[in-house]
Amino acid sequence: MEEDELSISSSSSSLSVFSDISEEVAAAETPSPPPSPPGACPSPEALEAPPLSETQGVGSSSQDEEQQSTTAAPEDAESSRKQAAHLMMAELVKFLLEKYRAKEPTTHAEMLSSVFTEHQDHFPEIFSRASRCLQRVFAVDVKEVDASDHSYVLVNSLGLTYDGVASDGHSMPKNGLLVLLLFVILKEGECASEEKVWKVLSDMGLHDGVENSIFGEPRDLMTKVWVEEQYLEYRQVAASDPARYEFLWGPRAHAETTKLTVLEFVQNQY
């Protein structure tokens, strides 16, 4: 196993993508989101604003203003196109997550009628982006099961039997983060210090004591939920004073996946 081909530093630098996608999905899940930060999924209200080209020249007092508006129009149109694509991708991810939580299949036709009431010609590109988002953030695969009607099912990427989705069906799968932590532990020699884990999480925009819209409070998730589910072991470093702690793979992680599977998954995603 060539584990040294991957490095924590190079992978961590790519994890900002994880945070950006999480923000977009959270924005789609929120009925009335606050103003979106740069790179996040835009609000529907922002997209409903008329393009600059439709308002050019109204009330213009000089030829210079008209020329500036004409110059800005292509850039404005491109920005609106990208924002619309982000919004459609986030809405499709939201739709597919609902199917995953309900354990229901879906079809190409259903996605078009439910999400792509307009711009259906962009479906292949946005479906590909949404599928990759589900893999990266949630460790969920979209698998085609019948090519004749283009039907799909959503399954856990690594076959882990616990995904953090509550029985009420409202929470989101959290295995994407779990797989990343298992990877960090491997790269640290199968035992990662708590300091190293929090450094990686900080690079992803996750912080101790700060509630996240997808993963909840990360300390509780790592040191209680995943420890109780036996995916992680959280123990005090021997003879440490003041006390320091470290993370290891738990018995359930060893039983349900392999080191090579986790390494290949993270390498392919980042």
Side-chain angles (χ1 to χ4, degrees):
M1 185 186 307
E2 298 179 354
E3 295 182 10
D4 292 337
E5 291 182 1
L6 297 175
S7 69
I8 286 293
S9 58
S10 63
S11 297
S12 295
S13 65
S14 302
L15 294 181
S16 60
V17 177
F18 190 107
S19 179
D20 292 342
I21 296 174
S22 300
E23 288 178 353
E24 293 183 3
V25 176
E29 287 275 335
T30 306
S32 299
S36 300
C41 180
S43 65
E45 291 79 10
L47 292 177
E48 289 173 359
L52 189 60
S53 58
E54 293 182 9
T55 58
Q56 285 179 7
V58 178
S60 296
S61 58
S62 69
Q63 184 176 358
D64 289 342
E65 290 180 356
E66 292 179 2
Q67 290 175 345
Q68 291 174 358
S69 296
T70 302
T71 301
E75 295 179 359
D76 181 76
E78 177 64 14
S79 176
S80 294
R81 186 195 69 80
K82 289 181 178 180
Q83 287 183 333
H86 276 300
L87 181 62
M88 286 188 290
M89 189 273 284
E91 288 293 338
L92 181 57
V93 169
K94 176 185 175 182
F95 172 82
L96 292 172
L97 282 174
E98 291 171 352
K99 291 295 181 180
Y100 174 80
R101 289 181 291 210
K103 295 179 172 57
E104 295 176 353
T106 189
T107 64
H108 175 270
E110 184 181 26
M111 285 184 273
L112 287 179
S113 63
S114 300
V115 180
F116 288 80
T117 53
E118 297 179 354
H119 310 294
Q120 294 190 358
D121 54 319
H122 295 296
F123 175 81
E125 173 194 354
I126 293 173
F127 177 66
S128 176
R129 290 176 56 193
S131 298
R132 188 161 181 81
C133 168
L134 286 166
Q135 280 190 323
R136 281 190 171 187
V137 180
F138 305 104
V140 169
D141 284 342
V142 182
K143 292 190 174 182
E144 187 174 40
V145 292
D146 190 337
S148 64
D149 64 352
H150 299 290
S151 59
Y152 301 87
V153 294
L154 292 102
V155 297
N156 191 293
S157 298
L158 277 73
L160 302 177
T161 56
Y162 175 83
D163 58 12
V165 175
S167 57
D168 60 13
H170 294 300
S171 57
M172 288 187 267
K174 301 172 176 61
N175 281 349
L177 180 59
L178 174 58
V179 172
L180 284 172
L181 291 180
L182 294 176
F183 168 76
V184 171
I185 292 168
L186 287 178
K187 294 308 299 175
E188 289 296 295
E190 303 190 17
C191 181
S193 69
E194 187 171 16
E195 292 81 6
K196 168 57 73 173
V197 168
W198 282 114
K199 173 62 172 64
V200 173
L201 292 183
S202 177
D203 291 342
M204 296 166 55
L206 299 174
H207 304 284
D208 191 2
V210 179
E211 192 82 9
N212 179 269
S213 57
I214 291 178
F215 303 108
E217 204 287 300
R219 174 173 292 277
D220 183 74
L221 184 62
M222 293 189 304
T223 63
K224 294 182 181 179
V225 177
W226 284 335
V227 170
E228 291 174 359
E229 294 296 331
Q230 299 187 344
Y231 283 113
L232 295 178
E233 182 180 347
Y234 179 64
R235 70 185 186 188
Q236 183 176 342
V237 177
S240 60
D241 186 19
R244 292 182 295 108
Y245 292 85
E246 58 191 6
F247 289 92
L248 299 85
W249 280 37
R252 191 169 175 183
H254 284 289
E256 294 183 359
T257 190
T258 67
K259 298 173 185 178
L260 182 59
T261 298
V262 169
L263 290 170
E264 289 180 341
F265 177 82
V266 176
Q267 185 177 35
N268 290 337
Q269 295 304 314
Y270 299 98

